[in-house]
Each structure stands twice: as structure tokens, then as C-alpha cells.
Amino acid sequence: MIEIADTVKKAREIISGWKKQGLTVGLVPTMGYLHDGHMSLVRKAREENDKVVVSVFVNPMQFSPNEDLEQYPRDFEADTKLCSENGVDLILHPVPEEMYPEGFCSFVDMTGPTAELCGKSRPIHFRGVCTIVNKLFNIASPDRAYFGQKDAQQLAVIKRMVKDLNMPVEIIGCPIVRESDGLARSSRNKYLSAEERKAALILSKSIFLGKEMADNGEKDARKICQEMRKLIETEPLARIDYVEAVDFTNIQKVDTIDGETLFAIAVYIGKTRLIDNFIVQAKS
Ligand code: PAF
């Protein structure tokens, strides 16, 4: 039977009981409105741990005042059903006051990998992400934590934080899950009108184009980005935020494919900002 903890105290009691029995814990941090992308993380966590915890918390700290905190889709009943069907043991579902009680004033801040891409257009975003993920790790004491590669910069940032701050947790990145027509799964896809949903395919089309160029031996990252940009510009409803190639570890811009290179895009379709990416490994 799935358990639901809406307080830190209750979550700790359940998890410390497991730990006393020597059981391992996998954590899947989410903001809810769960879909198959999240469930792929849950399934991986299920395979690799005795117990699986999913956190469902729309974290106000990672949204700027002009962003979509209020509209962010929520459906806890559907989330609970999906988690239950996929063998989750515990959902941590606190209210904002539980996570940020009055007087809260401690943050995890990072330079380096947060400077480019989404960090540029969403300046306080990663401070909010690092702070909440740090708190979730302290509450759930997971052996492993699972993050989707769809948020590739977030994955790189969390890996860096864990390394820098000696956090005793293994970070597992999981592949992007797509709809059958190519669109990357995202809770924000819900914002798209039927016309925008069609237009949004320009993101995955440009990702597939870039990946094909790289797979065919193109090493010039600027050229690949240029072709991807040109394709996106053919879609009248699309407005590019960024199309960039960066080193996947430190998220610094690169001109040539070298080591693990991340090609990342952020594109507005109407008012909805969507992201997508692919990673290539330079052939030695
Ligand atoms: O990827 C997300 O959904 C969020 O950024 C996370 C990691 C759950 C932190 O709020």
C-alpha cells in the first residue's frame, strides 16, 4: 500500500524505519502532474532500490515572479494513482509552508554550470532547484536519486552539487521520453493549444536534425546549431530563447564537439517555453 507523507516528520519516520532494516531508498524528485517520463524514472528506481520515494512539490523558489508558478498544472489524485500502479512506496507531498517555514533564509547557490542556457533566461531558477533538492536529500536520505535528461542542465548542476558538497547519494540520469510523434514529454505540454501542439514538433525536429548531422560526422558545433536554428525559424509560432552547444559536465559553450557535448534548445511556442536536447560523445 502506498503511503503519503505531507510532513517532513512523517516522511522521516517511515524512511528511518526502512533504513534500520538495511533497505535501500531511491528518490524521484518531481513537481507532480506525472507522466510517462516520470514513470520511466520510477521504474528505474524500482529496479535498483528496495524502496521508492517520489516527491511531489511545485517548488515556488525556482520560479521567477513573471513565470508560471500559479498556472503550473497539478493533479495529486492522478499522481497518486500512477505512483501506486508503478510500485512507489511513499509520496512526499508537503505544502510550501512545510518546506519554507517562516524565517527560512538558507540557500544552495552555484556559479559555473548555472551561468549559461536556462540559467541565463531564468536567473534564480537553479538556486531554487539546488536548495529544494538538497532539502529533499536531507529528508529522504536516498541511496540513489533519479533525474531526467530532458532537464540536462539541471542534471549536470545536481551532479556538480553532490560532488562539491560531498552528498552521499548517487545521481542517475535517465533518457528523454518522447510522445510517438517526437515531442519530449513535459508537464508544460498541457499549456499548448491544438495548433501550438503541432507547432511544438519543431523542437524535436531540430533535435533530430542536429543529432543526424553529428552522427554523420559533423564536428562543428556552431554549424549544427545554425542549421537547428534555421529549421526552428521556419515555424511561425516559435520564438527561440537559445540554441547552444556546451560541454555536458561544466555547461560552458563549445565550438567543436569534444568529449560529451550537449546541444540544448529552449523555444517559446506562443507563451509556453519548452526545452529539448541531445548529447553526443566525440568519437576518439
Ligand atoms: O525537475 C523538476 O521537476 C524540478 O526541478 C525538481 C528537480 C523536482 C526540483 O523542484
Side-chain angles (χ1 to χ4, degrees):
M1 223 348 229
I2 193 162
E3 293 195 81
I4 296 171
D6 53 9
T7 62
V8 172
K9 186 166 177 278
K10 182 167 177 197
R12 280 230 174 94
E13 273 166 14
I14 296 168
I15 294 164
S16 68
W18 295 339
K19 292 265 159 172
K20 275 188 201 127
Q21 298 171 56
L23 301 176
T24 56
V25 174
L27 172 68
V28 181
T30 82
M31 298 208 298
Y33 210 70
L34 303 176
H35 50 68
D36 213 38
H38 297 112
M39 287 309 117
S40 73
L41 306 180
V42 166
R43 283 191 287 271
K44 183 100 170 118
R46 199 39 314 140
E47 275 166 37
E48 297 181 346
N49 304 275
D50 298 315
K51 296 287 180 184
V52 177
V53 180
V54 171
S55 61
V56 172
F57 180 64
V58 183
N59 175 34
M61 201 195 280
Q62 68 191 70
F63 290 79
S64 295
N66 61 334
E67 292 182 347
D68 58 341
L69 173 63
E70 296 308 322
Q71 304 101 286
Y72 197 85
R74 294 159 170 90
D75 188 346
F76 188 61
E77 214 174 294
D79 290 347
T80 306
K81 187 165 178 281
L82 209 52
C83 284
S84 197
E85 287 164 1
N86 283 274
V88 172
D89 298 285
L90 170 66
I91 304 182
L92 172 60
H93 183 51
V95 292
E97 298 73 38
E98 176 74 7
M99 296 308 263
Y100 302 117
E102 218 186 302
F104 185 95
C105 56
S106 305
F107 303 90
V108 180
D109 225 334
M110 189 186 290
T111 54
T114 63
E116 300 290 340
L117 310 181
C118 290
K120 240 184 197 153
S121 16
R122 308 184 69 191
I124 61 155
H125 177 67
F126 287 113
R127 180 193 223 227
V129 169
C130 287
T131 302
I132 194 66
V133 170
N134 195 343
K135 283 171 68 70
L136 293 169
F137 286 176
N138 286 335
I139 295 163
S141 313
D143 297 274
R144 298 177 192 83
Y146 297 79
F147 295 86
Q149 190 206 295
K150 175 120 162 312
D151 296 295
Q153 185 177 17
Q154 170 171 282
L155 179 57
V157 163
I158 304 279
K159 280 188 180 161
R160 187 77 236 179
M161 173 180 81
V162 162
K163 190 172 179 193
D164 286 355
L165 302 182
N166 306 95
M167 297 172 147
V169 52
E170 189 185 345
I171 302 302
I172 318 276
C174 300
I176 297 178
V177 177
R178 298 182 180 279
E179 305 278 355
S180 55
D181 62 3
L183 183 68
R185 287 272 188 155
S186 163
S187 306
R188 288 190 168 97
N189 292 349
K190 181 180 161 50
Y191 298 148
L192 302 169
S193 68
E195 193 193 2
E196 289 171 343
R197 172 66 182 74
K198 271 190 214 140
L201 283 182
I202 204 66
L203 278 96
S204 50
K205 280 186 186 153
S206 84
I207 291 298
F208 300 151
L209 170 72
K211 183 159 180 346
E212 194 184 331
M213 287 177 76
D215 287 347
N216 287 339
E218 181 59 69
K219 289 213 158 28
D220 186 339
R222 283 171 312 181
K223 202 161 162 190
I224 295 176
C225 288
Q226 197 180 17
E227 291 305 314
M228 290 169 68
R229 219 173 269 131
K230 265 205 256 169
L231 180 63
I232 299 168
E233 280 163 1
T234 62
E235 172 50 62
L237 294 184
R239 181 168 57 84
I240 293 176
D241 180 2
Y242 63 73
V243 176
E244 302 280 8
V246 298
D247 177 290
F248 183 41
T249 307
N250 62 22
I251 315 290
Q252 300 304 304
K253 283 187 194 170
V254 295
D255 290 338
T256 326
I257 293 178
D258 186 19
E260 257 193 319
T261 304
L262 165 69
F263 287 83
I265 65 177
V267 178
Y268 286 92
I269 301 292
K271 287 199 171 82
T272 305
R273 183 177 176 279
L274 298 175
I275 57 175
D276 203 343
N277 68 75
F278 69 97
I279 295 169
V280 278
Q281 178 75 55
K283 293 180 191 90
S284 50

